[in-house]
Amino acid sequence: MGFVRSIKKINKQRRPLHHPHLDAEHEPLLASLALNLSKIRQTMGQSSDLIVREILLRQDPLVIQAAIVYMDGLADVKAVQDFILPSLMQHRHSLPSSLLQIADLINEIKQMSLTVANLREITDFTGLFESILSGGTVILLDGAAIGLAVNTEGWEDRNVEESTSQTVVRGPKEGFTENLRTNTALIRRRIKDPRLWLETRTMGQMTKTSVALMYIRELANEKVIEEVRIRLDRVRIDGILESGYVEELIQDETFTPFPTVFNSERPDAVAGGLLEGRIAILVDGTPFVLLVPALFTQFFQSPEDYYQRADISTLIRMLRFFSFFIALLGPSLYIAITTFHQQMIPTTLLISLAAQREGIPFPAFVEAFMMELTFEILREAGTRMPRNVGQALSIVGALVIGQSAVEAGIISAAMVIVVSITAIASFVLPSYNFAISVRILRFLFMGLAASFGLFGIMLGMLAMVLHLSSLRSFGVPYLSPFAPLNYMGQKDSMFRFPHWSLLTRPRLISQINVIREETPPAQKPNRRET
Amino acid sequence: MLRKLGFHLILFTLLFSLVGCWSRKELNDLAIAMGMAIDKAEQGYKVTVQVVNPSEIALKQASTMRSPVSVHSETGETLFEAIRKITKVSPRKMYFAHLRILVLSEEVARDGISKVLDFISREPEFRTDFYLTVAKDQPAGNVLKTLTIIEKIPANKLYLSLETSEKTWAPTVALQLDELVSNILSDGINPVITGIEVIGDKSVGQTRKNVETVAPTRLKYTSVAVFKKDKLVGWLNEEESKGYNYIMGNVKSTVGHVNCPQGGNVLMEVIRTKSDIKASVTEDHPRINVHLAVEENVAEANCSIDLLNPDTIDHLQTKAEKIIKSFMEQAIRKTQTEYQADIFGFGEAVRRENPDVWKKLRNNWSAVFAELPVDIQVDVKIRRVGTTNQSLQKEMQE
């Protein structure tokens, strides 16, 4: 892996991003309102959505010029009109007129007049811009070098809707939205415990995206939390538009097809992860929440496994593992067996396959490669195209990939079956990004099968298992609880034991507080107290 | 740095082209050989191979009127040479892993089959799960040239009918290569191979006409060929073959009849047999004791006997015992007197009983076997009489 190391070296040499103009804003507010406003207008470049409303506060004996500043569309105009403007304009000071100072007035407004919940003082332009650009309203008074920032966030948001990427038959239908606060609320509604802690930070020099760390104190491993904090702090990037940015910047290993960070659109899945001692990373602006540490088996699990009966879930999990191998090895096994190991095929099947291959111009590998490629193209087109042309594509796709290719004698019918079952099997995997890695590896295995037969597939599998066991996700071996083998961990990996028997949390994830308090052994049904 | 990375990638990709897909064969480059026949030629062997025509067999609308198989033959001084020579007439390379049946001509068998078997057991492409048979009274190649109806591939027909007849009609022996080789190599047992015949007009059998008629030229298993080591020495007839299989415990199911006292007969179906060959040695003189337990059902009663009477059942049992015993005795007598070939594995029984005595006898075992006293005990039990009680004839009388 010499070249991987060399790429890392290149990355290390890259200089940290530097934004001189951002530092220039880091200056205090001035006492003059006019200067402050002109500075704001100048920095924002006369943007038309910047609203500056100038008002006069008649406070006997003073007449103070004031202004409220907010961004149209980000701030809730109704809140500004209903609460901020009236309370400012109708305020009458209670202090003796002769003693009136500007600072006292601000305090009075703050303490007695403004009927809003979330309010803070700002003293510099950085804070001012941060506040108005995230939907706040800033009140500036002439003669005071402080502003009052009121939280008036009120932009249009998507409602909480059913998650589209991870669907269940039984289970909550709610999915996360793009709003960080909604998302944290969705999780808090599931875990009503004061030990559910939330750490928020801003990431991205330009986007200033809020990124929240969520974990249950006393369950999550403190070392892992610290590691996540360190990795997040290390990130220097100008923009974070989706949690994928964060995922890529904090994951353990870049050069692997396997994801080492789990993502979910479902609050119940994230809550489940938190209860196992994992750490959630929520990024504002995306419904996809990250969960770390992520293990290999986790990508085979759907939240529904815990809502269905244990026996059904176990069978379905096994089905997923089986489908994983079909999706990974289907075409390559077909290639290997039909071109190298014909003696392994039962005679009648062999004759039938041979009959189908009569007159096919390509070797099995080329045939399989063409079909897989066609399918990948169809799938990608299906994901990207506008919804209303979908039908046309599926008709053409079904014709190309199926009947016509066989009837034209270019592809054998058996190959169509193999490619179809492979494609369907890859959709069984509940995690989309894991399914992608299977797609990539499938082509690798096809190449190996075409060159070395089953021997090549075996070599490939060995290499894959070696690679998997070398992976770690935030210090936890990726293949646990299989390697290193953990007896208790088997209860919730390939199998799903009944809830009363899942007494412990995954050992390597939550190294403290391993016993699940909510399931004492006595709660096993049918067990009578004697 | 990137250049170095690219260099590694190119090297890695070239690795794939270097292997050249060694030993790769596409399915449509194979001639799947299902049957092989070996005859004697003037010099060496004549090998006949039956190759399937997959598109004629597998496709549902197979109406091209082409033959489902094609047969190629070629002569060569050795077997392998002859097989490779076949590529002169066949467009594709022979693929033997799916061989179902190997037909040896009587001539080859009499000459000794070990010369043939060495290649077949050495070549990795041959599996050991095909059956062997000896063509009786005709060239082995002819057997493969006969078309069959229900099973489109004649070799498959041979395979399946040997398997079925062994299961339901005792006189055939379905023998696979590994068993044959171990029997040849063992001192205490000699192999047998079932014989096969072409019944009817052989020239018609080779054309498509054969599958258009209801009573075509057929392939039929006959009796069993007795080998001494690897050389064929003679044949057993059907009753003797049956006796052989009884002794060996090969009988899974068969039918046989006993005569009634007042004429007519009762047919009985054997449903289970268990044979036990034991040797006893007194002062270097071995003695063999064969015990056979048979369970039977009454399948047909074509005379007026009272099947509800326990005495009748006893009577039938004794009669059946006698008949089965006579089959077994015939088989033993013939192999002892005519062939001196121990096909029953009595030598093995002696070795198990007393290895020291066996060491003394093994070099002279054929002679000892010819004089070997064999006690046979048959124990028949009738279990069921079927869904009716009395025979129709008996009920008519009443």
Side-chain angles (χ1 to χ4, degrees):
Chain A
M1 296 312 258
F3 53 90
V4 174
R5 223 175 295 133
S6 55
I7 282 189
K8 280 183 182 162
K9 209 184 270 174
I10 295 172
N11 278 348
K12 249 180 227 163
Q13 286 162 357
R14 210 171 62 186
R15 281 193 202 146
L17 291 164
H18 192 63
H19 299 279
H21 65 279
L22 288 176
D23 298 337
E25 286 171 14
H26 210 85
E27 52 190 59
L29 287 172
L30 307 168
S32 154
L33 178 67
L35 283 178
N36 278 339
L37 290 181
S38 80
K39 169 91 178 160
I40 292 169
R41 287 209 180 90
Q42 190 195 335
T43 317
M44 294 287 291
Q46 306 287 349
S47 296
S48 60
D49 56 347
L50 173 75
I51 307 292
V52 179
R53 171 84 160 83
E54 291 179 65
I55 50 176
L56 283 181
L57 302 184
R58 290 185 163 277
Q59 304 294 340
D60 252 358
L62 300 171
V63 175
I64 301 168
Q65 281 194 314
I68 55 172
V69 185
Y70 64 92
M71 300 300 292
D72 198 16
L74 294 184
D76 184 2
V77 182
K78 210 167 145 36
V80 174
Q81 282 172 1
D82 288 0
F83 303 111
I84 299 173
L85 282 177
S87 47
L88 284 177
M89 295 168 106
Q90 289 158 18
H91 177 76
R92 292 288 172 267
H93 69 92
S94 53
L95 295 162
S97 310
S98 54
L99 294 175
L100 190 66
Q101 293 292 313
I102 193 80
D104 299 329
L105 187 63
I106 285 180
N107 268 337
E108 226 186 67
I109 290 173
K110 228 167 77 178
Q111 286 162 6
M112 298 169 64
S113 182
L114 271 177
T115 53
V116 290
N118 195 334
L119 185 143
R120 68 196 161 89
E121 280 183 20
I122 45 170
T123 53
D124 58 13
F125 281 99
T126 319
L128 184 141
F129 285 117
E130 234 173 63
S131 168
I132 61 172
L133 287 174
S134 43
T137 301
V138 174
I139 303 160
L140 294 170
L141 298 177
D142 193 24
I146 3 173
L148 296 177
V150 182
N151 197 358
T152 51
E153 274 177 29
W155 57 77
E156 289 304 310
D157 248 331
R158 197 164 60 95
N159 290 328
V160 174
E161 284 165 15
E162 192 174 342
S163 119
T164 46
S165 69
Q166 290 147 334
T167 50
V168 292
V169 176
R170 177 171 178 181
K173 307 278 183 193
E174 278 177 335
F176 286 122
T177 69
E178 281 75 11
N179 189 330
L180 178 70
R181 196 46 74 215
T182 316
N183 293 350
T184 53
L186 283 171
I187 297 173
R188 274 219 194 268
R189 259 173 42 199
R190 282 176 173 74
I191 306 172
K192 300 179 189 75
D193 194 301
R195 286 173 294 180
L196 177 62
W197 281 18
L198 186 68
E199 284 175 22
T200 312
R201 64 190 63 219
T202 316
M203 285 172 74
Q205 270 91 334
M206 304 280 278
T207 57
K208 306 225 170 44
T209 315
S210 305
V211 173
L213 267 185
M214 217 174 190
Y215 53 87
I216 301 181
R217 186 150 173 84
E218 293 171 29
L219 288 193
N221 189 342
E222 196 58 51
K223 283 183 197 151
V224 180
I225 300 173
E226 191 49 41
E227 180 64 30
V228 176
R229 279 190 205 119
I230 290 171
R231 289 191 196 182
L232 286 176
D233 288 341
R234 217 161 47 196
V235 172
R236 303 215 172 274
I237 189 168
D238 58 351
I240 300 248
L241 299 178
E242 214 274 339
S243 53
Y245 286 51
V246 180
E247 173 178 346
E248 202 167 305
L249 290 164
I250 64 168
Q251 68 190 353
D252 292 60
E253 183 81 61
T254 304
F255 296 96
T256 171
F258 295 100
T260 48
V261 177
F262 187 79
N263 70 65
S264 179
E265 216 186 338
R266 302 182 53 83
D268 53 331
V270 174
L274 291 172
L275 287 173
E276 283 175 341
R278 289 179 218 269
I279 299 155
I281 303 169
L282 297 89
V283 177
D284 192 28
T286 176
F288 289 94
V289 173
L290 307 179
L291 265 183
V292 292
L295 305 185
F296 184 71
T297 51
Q298 205 178 346
F299 294 93
F300 290 91
Q301 299 171 357
S302 158
E304 198 176 349
D305 293 355
Y306 301 97
Y307 312 147
Q308 296 280 13
R309 291 170 45 83
D311 44 2
I312 295 171
S313 303
T314 301
L315 284 175
I316 288 177
R317 277 191 184 173
M318 286 177 172
L319 186 76
R320 291 199 197 112
F321 275 95
F322 183 64
S323 310
F324 166 73
F325 283 107
I326 292 182
L328 189 66
L329 299 177
S332 44
L333 279 179
Y334 180 81
I335 293 170
I337 291 174
T338 58
T339 54
F340 287 92
H341 315 279
Q342 291 93 349
Q343 64 270 31
M344 286 178 69
I345 314 173
T347 310
T348 23
L349 180 61
L350 177 76
I351 291 171
S352 161
L353 290 178
Q356 288 171 29
R357 273 203 59 85
E358 287 297 332
I360 303 290
F362 306 109
F365 170 68
V366 177
E367 205 186 341
F369 190 79
M370 275 166 44
M371 287 307 277
E372 284 293 339
L373 202 66
T374 315
F375 176 72
E376 291 300 335
I377 291 171
L378 277 172
R379 164 141 80 177
E380 190 56 24
T383 330
R384 305 290 157 229
M385 77 201 161
R387 290 273 172 273
N388 41 2
V389 289
Q391 209 166 8
L393 183 105
S394 56
I395 293 168
V396 174
L399 282 178
V400 169
I401 206 168
Q403 225 176 344
S404 320
V406 175
E407 273 174 17
I410 297 172
I411 304 292
S412 64
M415 186 58 83
V416 175
I417 298 172
V418 170
V419 171
S420 320
I421 186 68
T422 309
I424 295 167
S426 71
F427 291 125
V428 171
L429 299 175
S431 169
Y432 181 69
N433 53 345
F434 194 75
I436 293 176
S437 63
V438 173
R439 273 156 74 184
I440 300 167
L441 287 174
R442 182 192 304 154
F443 283 93
L444 204 72
F445 273 104
M446 277 161 62
L448 283 170
S451 327
F452 307 98
L454 285 182
F455 175 68
I457 294 182
M458 210 55 230
L459 284 184
M461 289 295 284
L462 278 177
M464 192 183 88
V465 170
L466 284 178
H467 174 69
L468 278 173
S469 23
S470 78
L471 285 181
R472 272 161 188 277
S473 175
F474 290 84
V476 180
Y478 195 51
L479 274 187
S480 69
F482 300 131
L485 188 72
N486 173 5
Y487 177 71
M488 290 302 274
Q490 303 301 323
K491 287 183 171 180
D492 188 15
S493 48
M494 203 133 104
F495 305 96
R496 205 281 273 168
F497 275 46
H499 285 297
W500 49 257
S501 124
L502 297 175
L503 298 177
T504 59
R505 303 196 164 85
R507 191 170 65 107
L508 289 171
I509 290 175
S510 163
Q511 290 179 347
I512 41 172
N513 200 348
V514 188
I515 305 294
R516 286 182 209 256
E517 290 161 59
E518 66 271 31
T519 51
Q523 281 196 357
K524 178 181 173 178
N526 303 331
R527 183 180 285 182
R528 299 227 170 80
E529 304 294 327
T530 45
Chain B
M1 251 337 146
L2 274 177
R3 189 184 287 175
K4 203 170 172 186
L5 191 146
F7 182 68
H8 279 115
L9 273 181
I10 289 170
L11 275 189
F12 188 69
T13 322
L14 282 179
L15 204 68
F16 278 85
S17 63
L18 274 178
V19 296
C21 305
W22 171 75
S23 88
R24 185 180 73 95
K25 336 181 243 303
E26 291 294 333
L27 283 185
N28 43 357
D29 297 336
L30 294 179
I32 304 164
M34 300 283 281
M36 181 160 91
I38 303 170
D39 281 294
K40 271 250 160 194
E42 280 168 32
Q43 276 195 323
Y45 299 99
K46 179 178 176 220
V47 173
T48 310
V49 178
Q50 189 181 80
V51 176
V52 288
N53 174 5
S55 47
E56 184 61 22
I57 287 160
L59 295 186
K60 288 275 170 275
Q61 66 277 30
S63 54
T64 45
M65 295 303 285
R66 289 200 225 154
S67 167
V69 291
S70 81
V71 172
H72 307 295
S73 29
E74 198 55 61
T75 54
E77 244 175 271
T78 64
L79 206 56
F80 201 17
E81 272 177 294
I83 287 173
R84 281 294 160 92
K85 259 186 174 175
I86 289 177
T87 43
K88 289 201 294 184
V89 283
S90 154
R92 296 175 183 176
K93 188 180 165 293
M94 292 296 141
Y95 185 65
F96 285 102
H98 285 269
L99 197 71
R100 301 329 288 278
I101 193 109
L102 176 63
V103 188
L104 303 166
S105 79
E106 201 171 331
E107 228 181 331
V108 172
R110 284 193 189 276
D111 201 39
I113 51 176
S114 52
K115 294 166 197 165
V116 180
L117 291 183
D118 181 79
F119 163 68
I120 291 173
S121 51
R122 191 182 297 279
E123 167 68 39
E125 205 173 273
F126 283 94
R127 288 203 292 208
T128 55
D129 64 346
F130 54 86
Y131 289 141
L132 290 111
T133 170
V134 176
K136 199 177 181 185
D137 303 329
Q138 61 210 302
N142 280 4
V143 174
L144 294 187
K145 285 178 188 158
T146 308
L147 289 178
T148 52
I149 295 185
I150 296 179
E151 284 294 329
K152 281 181 179 172
I153 308 166
N156 221 14
K157 184 261 165 204
L158 290 172
Y159 181 87
L160 292 173
S161 83
L162 186 55
E163 207 169 56
T164 323
S165 71
E166 196 207 23
K167 269 185 203 143
T168 56
W169 180 244
T172 52
V173 182
L175 184 74
Q176 296 185 338
L177 183 69
D178 42 358
E179 204 184 335
L180 176 70
V181 170
S182 89
N183 284 0
I184 288 175
L185 295 180
S186 160
D187 283 323
I189 189 164
N190 283 308
V192 296
I193 300 181
T194 309
I196 189 149
E197 278 180 286
V198 182
I199 311 282
D201 188 345
K202 284 164 190 100
S203 54
V204 174
Q206 299 183 12
T207 63
R208 203 169 171 98
K209 250 187 213 156
N210 194 42
V211 289
E212 287 167 1
T213 53
V214 270
T217 307
R218 287 171 190 274
L219 297 167
K220 184 185 160 195
Y221 285 105
T222 58
S223 45
V224 159
V226 176
F227 280 71
K228 198 165 181 180
K229 294 270 111 181
D230 66 326
K231 290 189 176 62
L232 188 146
V233 286
W235 297 83
L236 298 182
N237 65 25
E238 188 150 331
E239 283 178 2
E240 292 154 356
S241 308
K242 214 169 179 176
Y244 165 78
N245 275 329
Y246 272 124
I247 295 173
M248 300 302 287
N250 282 345
V251 178
K252 290 177 189 91
S253 170
T254 183
V255 293
H257 64 263
V258 296
N259 292 327
C260 297
Q262 313 90 342
N265 52 35
V266 174
L267 193 91
M268 291 192 285
E269 182 194 3
V270 174
I271 51 170
R272 210 167 291 128
T273 67
K274 188 175 184 326
S275 92
D276 193 14
I277 301 175
K278 278 235 166 78
S280 56
V281 182
T282 41
E283 292 172 12
D284 290 4
H285 294 295
R287 191 177 183 85
I288 299 293
N289 189 351
V290 180
H291 180 264
L292 179 72
V294 183
E295 285 178 36
E296 298 190 333
N297 288 344
V298 173
E300 261 183 67
N302 296 322
C303 61
S304 54
I305 52 166
D306 184 6
L307 282 176
L308 294 180
N309 185 351
D311 293 341
T312 322
I313 300 294
D314 279 347
H315 176 71
L316 287 175
Q317 283 179 352
T318 338
K319 273 200 158 175
E321 277 166 13
K322 254 185 213 157
I323 289 171
I324 292 173
K325 192 173 173 184
S326 81
F327 287 160
M328 293 158 79
E329 278 168 347
Q330 281 176 49
I332 293 172
R333 200 178 311 126
K334 192 158 188 180
T335 47
Q336 281 185 328
T337 53
E338 284 184 36
Y339 309 134
Q340 289 94 44
D342 176 13
I343 53 176
F344 307 103
F346 290 160
E348 286 290 311
V350 173
R351 186 184 60 80
R352 280 197 295 272
E353 175 64 28
N354 194 332
D356 297 331
V357 174
W358 171 245
K359 264 178 207 153
K360 282 183 228 163
L361 295 176
R362 66 187 293 179
N363 292 328
N364 198 22
W365 179 245
S366 299
V368 178
F369 172 73
E371 303 294 324
L372 193 67
V374 181
D375 299 324
I376 300 174
Q377 266 180 294
V378 182
D379 194 6
V380 172
K381 287 237 159 54
I382 293 178
R383 294 292 182 201
R384 282 165 282 270
V385 293
T387 47
T388 53
N389 288 331
Q390 298 295 6
S391 70
L392 287 178
Q393 291 190 18
K394 169 109 176 150
E395 295 212 346
M396 264 164 28
Q397 279 172 4
E398 283 163 1

